[in-house]
């Protein structure tokens, strides 16, 4: 008698799987940016996504002014010959917030402070350290340029300039620039409502610890906490739906409720082929859901599709698989839903591996690594140790993913590997 062995991820990794890039392309193709808009005060713009281009109606700076503390002169008073000196009479002082009354003639100068309007008849500023003062005169030499230390009106922004583009997730300097244009309010995309829940009868929240004294059959939920934290930098309203046990009726109710309250549903667990993995069955009944086996490790089984008008990502249950699928599939999808066009480019470069890494071609592997300078101007990387998809400490010890591409084989110490530092991701 012989047994029929079901293929699984440790047998033929290519069996029935789709490459990560194909999965990502299919996800992105199915997603359309949200179109709900709202108007907010400029001081709330950090992290929000612009729903329209920001144009200027004014010049920045609005008037020509001094960039330094010093003396405003006309450039023709700068001596032409190297050894020559010029003596100029100080006829007054001007400070920021005031305009000098009167015209400055050749042979004259005005003491000027940073930000003050350039007096009529002047076009250059000599910094105070470069002049010799005596009574009401200054002496300057020939080492100066026409127009130096002056900020021209409109040199940064001119009326009509498009300063920030639609789709930009605002950074701190953007708040400053919008305010500098005198714009009090901006149109942004409304926050996306995201429902998050964990599935699994063995999963409980740490707040339930008191009632589950033995902890011999249950584990504390980590996925919901990782996912909610990963969502924090985005303009989202999180609908935290807690933990749903492996019970078809409970799951059905939770998915329907999520689809009514959110535009994006993110769940973890229950999408593989275990006996209690009812999620697949319930999802198949409720919506247009596809169940993919993605050629990635960790993170193979994924459900993707729609329940009513809500988009759904059913992530695997293992905590590292959740993080990896978040980074490489969900995060780009969320950014597209939010209309973000300036998501930071994740740096990717080669580092010398200090570790031996076993790997078979046919799937992309995301090992967790510690990346550091090797002291010779290059980077080296070693794995964090145990790489099981349940070893969440591997994420916390790591500062980079070691990305071993689809066709890559095993790695020997000394081989170059691709790395993606976390600092570009989170
Ligand atoms: P599943 O995909 O439901 O078969 O889960 C795979 C593994 O991940 C199992 O060992 C689960 O106990 C574990 N797991 C599932 N959900 C969570 C969660 N929310 N937090 C921590 N571990 C989980
Ligand atoms: Mg489960």
């Amino acid at each position: 008698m012989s047994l029929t062995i079901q293929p699984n991820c440790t047998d033929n990794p290519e069996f029935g799987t789709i490459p990560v890039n194909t999965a990502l392309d299919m996800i992105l193709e199915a997603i359309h940016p949200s179109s709900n808009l709202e108007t907010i005060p400029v001081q709330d713009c950090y992290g929000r996504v612009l729903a329209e281009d920001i144009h200027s109606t004014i010049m920045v700076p609005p008037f020509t002014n001094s960039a330094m503390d010093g003396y405003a002169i006309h450039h023709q008073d700068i001596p032409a010959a190297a050894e020559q000196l010029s003596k100029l009479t100080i006829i007054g002082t001007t400070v920021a917030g005031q305009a000098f009354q009167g015209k400055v003639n050749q042979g004259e100068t005005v003491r000027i402070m940073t930000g003050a309007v350039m007096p009529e008849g002047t076009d250059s500023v000599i910094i105070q350290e470069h002049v010799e003062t005596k009574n009401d005169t200054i002496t300057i030499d020939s080492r100066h340029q026409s127009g130096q230390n002056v900020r021209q009106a409109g040199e940064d922004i001119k009326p009509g300039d498009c300063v920030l583009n639609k789709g930009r997730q605002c950074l701190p300097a953007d708040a400053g620039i919008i305010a500098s244009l005198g714009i009090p309010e901006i149109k942004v995309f409304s926050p996306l409502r995201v429902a998050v829940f964990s599935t699994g009868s063995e999963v409980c929240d740490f707040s339930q610890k008191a009632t589950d004294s033995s902890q011999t059959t249950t584990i504390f939920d980590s996925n919901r906490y990782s996912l909610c934290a990963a969502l924090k930098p985005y303009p989202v309203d999180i609908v935290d739906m807690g933990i749903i046990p492996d019970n078809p009726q409970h799951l059905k109710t939770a998915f329907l409720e999520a689809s009514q309250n959110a535009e994006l549903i993110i769940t973890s667990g229950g999408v593989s082929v275990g006996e209690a993995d009812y999620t697949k069955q319930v999802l198949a009944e409720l919506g247009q859901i596809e169940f993919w086996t993605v050629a990635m490790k960790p993170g193979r089984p994924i459900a993707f599709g729609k329940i009513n008008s809500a988009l759904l990502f059913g992530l695997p249950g293992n905590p590292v698989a959740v993080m990896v699928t978040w980074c490489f599939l969900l995060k780009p999808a969320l950014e597209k839903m939010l209309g973000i066009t300036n998501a930071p480019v994740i740096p990717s470069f080669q580092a010398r591996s200090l570790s031996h890494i076993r790997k078979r071609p046919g799937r992309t592997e995301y090992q967790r690594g510690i990346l550091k300078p090797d002291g010779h101007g290059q980077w080296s990387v070693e794995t964090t140790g145990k790489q099981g998809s349940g070893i969440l400490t591997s994420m916390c010890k790591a500062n980079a993913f070691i990305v071993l591409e689809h066709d890559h084989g095993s790695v020997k110490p000394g081989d170059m590997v691709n790395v993606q530092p976390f600092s570009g991701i989170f």
Side-chain angles (χ1 to χ4, degrees):
M1 208 172 105
S2 68
L3 286 174
T4 310
I5 308 282
Q6 294 290 325
N8 72 23
C9 62
T10 54
D11 297 324
N12 180 354
E14 275 180 294
F15 183 85
T17 64
I18 48 174
V20 185
N21 285 343
T22 310
L24 181 60
D25 288 348
M26 291 195 290
I27 288 168
L28 294 180
E29 202 166 307
I31 288 176
H32 304 288
S34 142
S35 55
N36 298 332
L37 312 184
E38 63 188 36
T39 301
I40 58 161
V42 62
Q43 50 268 45
D44 296 340
C45 78
Y46 179 69
R48 301 301 301 269
V49 183
L50 295 177
E52 58 186 14
D53 292 346
I54 305 279
H55 287 97
S56 177
T57 55
I58 62 167
M59 286 198 291
V60 178
F63 48 85
T64 301
N65 66 88
S66 178
M68 302 293 274
D69 294 337
Y71 292 86
I73 62 153
H74 192 278
H75 73 270
Q76 280 178 343
D77 280 332
I78 300 169
E83 302 304 314
Q84 223 181 326
L85 297 174
S86 263
K87 208 172 207 175
L88 309 176
T89 307
I90 305 167
I91 60 162
T93 298
T94 187
V95 297
Q98 286 176 2
F100 182 75
Q101 301 300 321
K103 186 171 185 292
V104 181
N105 299 305
Q106 261 183 270
E108 293 177 340
T109 184
V110 167
R111 177 146 167 72
I112 192 164
M113 302 300 144
T114 305
V117 183
M118 289 295 285
E120 192 184 342
T122 66
D123 59 11
S124 312
V125 171
I126 314 285
I127 64 169
Q128 55 197 21
E129 293 82 355
H130 289 175
V131 306
E132 238 177 63
T133 46
K134 198 169 183 200
N135 301 325
D136 63 345
T137 63
I138 61 165
T139 305
I140 61 171
D141 62 20
S142 63
R143 295 172 302 176
H144 306 288
Q145 310 285 319
S146 169
Q148 69 179 22
N149 302 321
V150 172
R151 301 185 283 223
Q152 299 297 329
E155 74 173 20
D156 188 8
I157 302 167
K158 296 198 174 35
D161 280 357
C162 177
V163 176
L164 299 172
N165 289 110
K166 175 180 171 179
R168 185 173 173 86
Q169 188 179 21
C170 290
L171 296 170
D174 301 341
I177 215 154
I178 297 166
S180 78
L181 301 178
I183 298 174
E185 292 183 323
I186 50 168
K187 266 207 182 109
V188 294
F189 292 107
S190 301
L192 197 76
R193 284 165 306 149
V194 184
V196 181
F197 63 87
S198 297
T199 71
S201 297
E202 79 283 28
V203 184
C204 70
D205 193 73
F206 62 76
S207 59
Q208 293 167 284
K209 192 176 179 192
T211 54
D212 177 39
S213 52
S214 64
Q215 258 224 296
T216 49
T217 55
T218 57
I219 54 163
F220 288 139
D221 184 5
S222 65
N223 293 341
R224 200 161 40 96
Y225 288 90
S226 304
L227 285 168
C228 289
L231 287 164
K232 279 273 182 225
Y234 294 98
V236 295
D237 287 336
I238 297 174
V239 184
D240 184 345
M241 295 182 55
I243 301 159
I244 312 298
D246 292 313
N247 168 308
Q249 197 48 47
H250 284 89
L251 284 165
K252 196 170 175 176
T253 309
F255 278 115
L256 281 175
E257 192 187 317
S259 74
Q260 279 147 16
N261 295 327
E263 292 142 290
L264 173 64
I265 308 168
I266 308 174
T267 70
S268 64
V271 289
S272 55
V273 289
E275 296 245 313
D277 290 338
Y278 297 111
T279 315
K280 274 176 99 162
Q281 172 196 323
V282 171
L283 282 173
E285 267 175 53
L286 289 180
Q288 308 130 271
I289 310 287
E290 296 193 33
F291 299 93
W292 293 338
T293 307
V294 183
M296 68 195 296
K297 187 184 171 199
R300 241 164 79 94
I302 282 180
F304 174 70
K306 270 189 156 185
I307 302 176
N308 299 319
S309 59
L311 202 72
L312 171 118
F313 278 88
L315 304 182
N318 277 306
V320 186
V322 165
M323 293 319 299
V324 170
T325 46
W326 154 261
C327 289
F328 295 96
L329 297 175
L330 218 164
K331 185 174 176 288
L334 177 74
E335 285 164 354
K336 184 166 182 194
M337 281 184 96
L338 290 167
I340 296 174
T341 53
N342 66 330
V345 176
I346 301 171
S348 172
F349 54 90
Q350 296 259 298
R352 195 167 300 285
S353 177
L354 302 176
S355 308
H356 186 103
I357 308 173
R358 279 184 57 199
K359 153 88 166 67
R360 268 178 295 174
R363 65 184 173 210
T364 307
E365 291 197 13
Y366 302 89
Q367 300 254 331
R368 277 75 67 205
I370 301 165
L371 180 68
K372 53 186 178 216
D374 69 355
H376 305 286
Q378 308 283 326
W379 291 91
S380 65
V381 68
E382 61 185 321
T383 68
T384 54
K386 280 192 192 126
Q387 294 287 307
S389 58
I391 310 275
L392 193 52
T393 51
S394 69
M395 282 297 298
C396 305
K397 285 180 192 159
N399 62 0
F401 283 118
I402 303 170
V403 182
L404 302 175
E405 296 80 2
H406 197 87
D407 297 324
H408 211 292
S410 290
V411 174
K412 301 186 298 300
D415 286 355
M416 297 305 281
V417 289
N418 242 338
V419 289
Q420 297 198 328
F422 285 178
S423 55
I425 299 176
F426 295 109

